[in-house]
Structures are given as structure tokens and as C-alpha cells.
Amino acid sequence: MNNKISKSVIRRLPRYYRFLCELEEKEVDRVSSGKLAQIMRTTASQVRQDLNCFGGFGHQGYGYPVTTLKNEIINILGLNNHYRAILIGAGHIGTAIASHMKLDKLGFDMVGIFDNNTAILGSKINMLEIRDVNSLKEFCSNTKVDVAFLCTPKEAAKDTVKKLYELGIKNFWNFTHYDIQGDYPDVKVENVHLSDMLMTLCYSMNEDADE
Amino acid sequence: MNNKISKSVIRRLPRYYRFLCELEEKEVDRVSSGKLAQIMRTTASQVRQDLNCFGGFGHQGYGYPVTTLKNEIINILGLNNHYRAILIGAGHIGTAIASHMKLDKLGFDMVGIFDNNTAILGSKINMLEIRDVNSLKEFCSNTKVDVAFLCTPKEAAKDTVKKLYELGIKNFWNFTHYDIQGDYPDVKVENVHLSDMLMTLCYSMNEDADE
């Protein structure tokens, strides 16, 4: 079924999910496409079109059942799969991810944290000990790992990915500028290029000044 | 001129910029559209189309002059404008941004860092003292601020943005889930929704499993 849903709809689903969670917390039972459109800052027709992609359980005049819709999105995104994740690089970004993000609500369980900085090895983030990156092989032979969150400096990224790939890890959340898919076309990667986003903001501000 | 360039081309420019910087570091003078396409993982025709948007200074058979092209992108994105930025929230994400990103290369100068945690006030990140968020008004009356990097917890975001907006700040790099443009349609915002990206990765992994 997933194959029928376009990439652009998929990219919007996390936002729907977040808003539906908020509505559920406020004990809202049903929500109209108009209200969802307002929250998503799009049109009611776009919302109806998006949600029709995965079963038309909104009824004209009644709106969408919040919990049912939320659960459907959980299903489609696979947030209940609880993929086993390791973090490589326990610097500021890595620590922020491991300590502040509600990973379990997002489909992931953090099972290991690795760094090469001997000064922090053994200390804990969210109850997980920071392990020596040299113990990766041993760790992976005992523990199934589905995905690596890559938060190393760029210089370390290439070697680290090679090691992880050889250990069978084919999914990456990549915070470095190393182009993983350039070397490994068969992996799944979600890149977070903060500097690219910042440059895009710079453009918007510049564009404004030009007007 | 900027108005002629589509949003999707703009979104790709930071990547071109990064790769051109790398080529320049390797003292490469000229690059063909084919080579750029390979690095960008797109087609040579897409590259030519993108770069034609802002002046056709690639010559058939000669490729593009790396430095000229890089400088042109710097111009278009406005990376030389050196917008004055403040950081609100010196937690892990905020600290990572203020200490590790080469902000000046990306169009921004960090001029102030603010937090409400008295335990860290006065300590320094990259030579900048962490100031009390309550001193924002005073700070902004003495220092021109173009943009705020918002790295507070979600609960604090709404009040913080209200304060900043009233101080005349209309540009935001937003790491929180607070929907700034929902309340202030006239501001420029670049959102970094890490959890949305992670859910998208979850989907890709799930999709794979379904095949």
C-alpha cells in the first residue's frame, strides 16, 4: 500500500502526526479538513487529497477521527517498529538527540552510544553508557542494530560508515557532510544538513532586502 | 534577479556551494556539468539548467570556473551580508550551533547568546558570554540584531518569539515545534524539525521491509 503514497505526502505525514498528537492530548475526538488545513497552513482540499491516499475514512461533514487517523499514520510511517539505533559521536548534537528527543515515539530505540573521546567513555546519556567506538564490532555481534545516527566530525565520517556498513548497518541518519550514498548507493539515508538550511534562511532574508 | 530563481533551485544552491568550496580547496579551477552532476547525484542537464538561472557563464566544453561560480552563489544567497544573529537557548543544540558551525562562512555573525538557566549565565561559548534572557531588551537597544536562532524548549518558544518580535526581530531559525508563522505571518522562518526527518527515515526503512 505504501507504494501508492507519493514522497511529498510522506514528507507531510510527520507534521500531521505531530498535530494529531496535540489534538489527542487536548482530548479532541474529531477534526475537520478545514481545521487540519489551518494548522498545516494548506488548503482543505490538499488535506483531503493527502489523507485520501491512505483510505478515505473522513466523512463529509463529520471530519476525521483523530485517534484513528493518528494510528493510521503511525502504521504508514512504521513508528511502531522500534528500530534499534546506535549513536556515533556523543558531542553536542549527538547528546541533544540521545537525551532530549522522544525517540521511542518516533519509531526508534537507542541501544548504544559510541565515541572515540576517552575523556567521556563510561559516562552516561539517558542511562546509556558511552562506549569506545572500537568496540562497535563486538557490540554489533551481540546486538541487532538497524540504524546508525551519525554525529561525528566530517573527517571521521567516511571511515566510520565503512565500518558500520561492513557490520551490516544500511540505514543512516546523517548529520555530517559526508555523502554516504555517493559511496554506498544501496543504503537509506536521511541527511540533516544544518548549514544548507541556514544558507537557505540567508537567501530568504536577502531576498526580502532586495524587494 | 533573485525573483527569477525558483525555490527548488535555491534549495540546491547550498549544496553546489559546499561542493565548489571543496573543489576550490583542492585547487580545481574548472568543473564540467557532468562532474558537478555526479557530485550532486543528478544529471548534467539538470546542472546546466540550474546554473543557467543565474547567468550562463559555463562554456560548452570548458566547464564552469569554480571560483567565479562559487562567488556568484555567495552573491545570490547573500552569504556576504553577515547578518547579526543571536542564539536563544544554550542547551546542547544551541551550543553545537554556536561552537561548531562556521557561521561567518554561512552569512551570519553570532553577536549574543541568551539562556534562562542561571547555572550557565556568564560562562562562554566561542568567546561569547551567555547572557540572561531577561536582558534581551537592553541588548537589542544597543545592538542591531537581524535574526534569532531559537533553540529553547517548546514551552518557552511562544513567549520568547513574542518578545523578540516586539523587539523588531523578524527572522528566525527555528529548532522548536512552535509554529512561528502561524502567529506571525510576516516573519521569515527556516524550521529544523529533527523529529519529522527521523520519522521520514523510519518510513524509508519500513518501506524497504515491505518490499
Side-chain angles (χ1 to χ4, degrees):
Chain A
M1 185 189 73
N2 288 349
N3 296 334
K4 290 184 209 150
I5 307 178
S6 80
K7 192 81 189 169
S8 55
V9 176
I10 294 300
R11 290 253 162 220
R12 284 194 288 273
L13 286 188
R15 276 189 87 196
Y16 282 109
Y17 173 70
R18 279 196 281 120
F19 291 131
L20 290 165
C21 287
E22 284 176 17
L23 290 171
E24 205 178 39
E25 270 167 35
K26 290 178 193 155
E27 299 186 4
V28 176
D29 280 344
R30 304 188 78 84
V31 60
S32 67
S33 51
K35 175 69 185 169
L36 267 177
Q38 192 196 333
I39 304 178
M40 296 281 291
R41 263 183 292 108
T42 178
T43 62
S45 124
Q46 173 77 72
V47 167
R48 282 191 296 267
Q49 210 177 315
D50 282 356
L51 302 186
N52 268 339
C53 289
F54 48 96
F57 44 73
H59 297 291
Q60 194 80 39
Y62 289 89
Y64 295 94
V66 170
T67 301
T68 314
L69 188 53
K70 189 200 78 171
N71 288 336
E72 188 61 21
I73 292 177
I74 286 176
N75 254 345
I76 291 169
L77 294 176
L79 306 184
N80 270 341
N81 291 356
H82 291 284
Y83 291 119
R84 298 166 73 84
I86 56 174
L87 169 70
I88 317 287
H92 288 295
I93 293 270
T95 303
I97 289 165
S99 56
H100 296 313
M101 288 186 74
K102 289 170 188 147
L103 296 172
D104 57 330
K105 256 192 99 176
L106 304 169
F108 297 88
D109 293 329
M110 183 70 79
V111 296
I113 299 176
F114 298 85
D115 205 291
N116 66 356
N117 176 359
T118 50
I120 60 170
L121 299 186
S123 60
K124 288 187 178 178
I125 301 174
N126 233 0
M127 317 224 283
L128 274 182
E129 191 187 333
I130 302 176
R131 297 160 186 265
D132 190 332
V133 75
N134 290 317
S135 68
L136 258 175
K137 192 173 174 179
E138 193 198 336
F139 182 87
C140 290
S141 68
N142 293 316
T143 308
K144 182 174 167 287
V145 175
D146 301 303
V147 53
F149 298 172
L150 194 66
C151 298
T152 68
K154 188 183 176 183
E155 309 78 59
K158 194 175 169 132
D159 283 352
T160 307
V161 169
K162 185 170 185 288
K163 212 179 286 181
L164 294 166
Y165 186 86
E166 286 166 0
L167 292 170
I169 297 171
K170 301 284 174 75
N171 302 293
F172 294 89
W173 197 23
N174 179 29
F175 283 77
T176 79
H177 279 161
Y178 169 50
D179 178 18
I180 301 178
Q181 282 178 321
D183 287 336
Y184 307 96
D186 61 324
V187 301
K188 305 257 179 183
V189 182
E190 181 75 17
N191 290 306
V192 184
H193 290 323
L194 293 179
S195 63
D196 290 12
M197 296 187 221
L198 193 51
M199 287 190 263
T200 308
L201 175 63
C202 190
Y203 173 80
S204 318
M205 291 171 63
N206 193 33
E207 186 186 36
D208 200 35
D210 283 359
E211 277 163 14
Chain B
M1 185 189 76
N2 286 351
N3 296 334
K4 292 184 207 147
I5 307 178
S6 79
K7 192 81 190 170
S8 55
V9 176
I10 294 300
R11 289 253 162 222
R12 283 194 289 274
L13 286 187
R15 274 189 88 194
Y16 282 109
Y17 172 71
R18 278 196 282 120
F19 292 132
L20 290 166
C21 287
E22 284 176 17
L23 290 171
E24 205 178 37
E25 271 168 35
K26 289 178 194 155
E27 299 186 3
V28 176
D29 281 343
R30 303 189 76 85
V31 61
S32 67
S33 50
K35 176 68 184 171
L36 267 178
Q38 192 195 333
I39 304 177
M40 296 281 292
R41 263 181 293 108
T42 177
T43 62
S45 124
Q46 172 78 72
V47 167
R48 283 192 296 267
Q49 209 177 316
D50 282 356
L51 302 186
N52 269 338
C53 289
F54 48 97
F57 45 74
H59 298 291
Q60 194 80 43
Y62 289 89
Y64 296 92
V66 170
T67 302
T68 314
L69 189 53
K70 190 199 80 172
N71 289 335
E72 188 61 22
I73 293 178
I74 286 177
N75 255 344
I76 292 169
L77 294 177
L79 305 185
N80 270 342
N81 292 354
H82 291 284
Y83 292 118
R84 299 166 71 84
I86 55 175
L87 169 70
I88 316 287
H92 288 295
I93 292 268
T95 302
I97 289 165
S99 57
H100 297 312
M101 289 185 75
K102 290 171 186 142
L103 295 173
D104 56 330
K105 256 192 98 175
L106 305 169
F108 297 88
D109 294 328
M110 182 70 79
V111 296
I113 299 177
F114 297 85
D115 205 292
N116 66 356
N117 176 359
T118 51
I120 61 170
L121 299 185
S123 60
K124 287 185 178 180
I125 302 175
N126 232 1
M127 316 225 283
L128 274 182
E129 191 188 331
I130 303 176
R131 296 159 187 267
D132 190 330
V133 76
N134 289 318
S135 68
L136 257 176
K137 192 173 174 179
E138 193 197 336
F139 182 86
C140 290
S141 67
N142 294 316
T143 308
K144 183 174 167 285
V145 174
D146 301 304
V147 53
F149 297 173
L150 194 67
C151 298
T152 66
K154 188 183 177 184
E155 309 78 59
K158 193 175 170 134
D159 282 352
T160 308
V161 170
K162 185 169 185 287
K163 214 178 285 184
L164 293 166
Y165 186 85
E166 285 166 0
L167 292 170
I169 297 172
K170 301 284 174 73
N171 301 293
F172 294 89
W173 198 21
N174 179 28
F175 284 76
T176 78
H177 278 160
Y178 169 51
D179 178 17
I180 301 179
Q181 282 180 321
D183 287 335
Y184 307 96
D186 61 324
V187 301
K188 304 259 180 182
V189 183
E190 182 76 17
N191 290 306
V192 183
H193 290 323
L194 293 178
S195 62
D196 289 11
M197 297 186 221
L198 192 51
M199 286 190 263
T200 308
L201 175 63
C202 191
Y203 174 80
S204 319
M205 292 170 62
N206 193 34
E207 185 186 36
D208 200 36
D210 281 359
E211 276 163 14

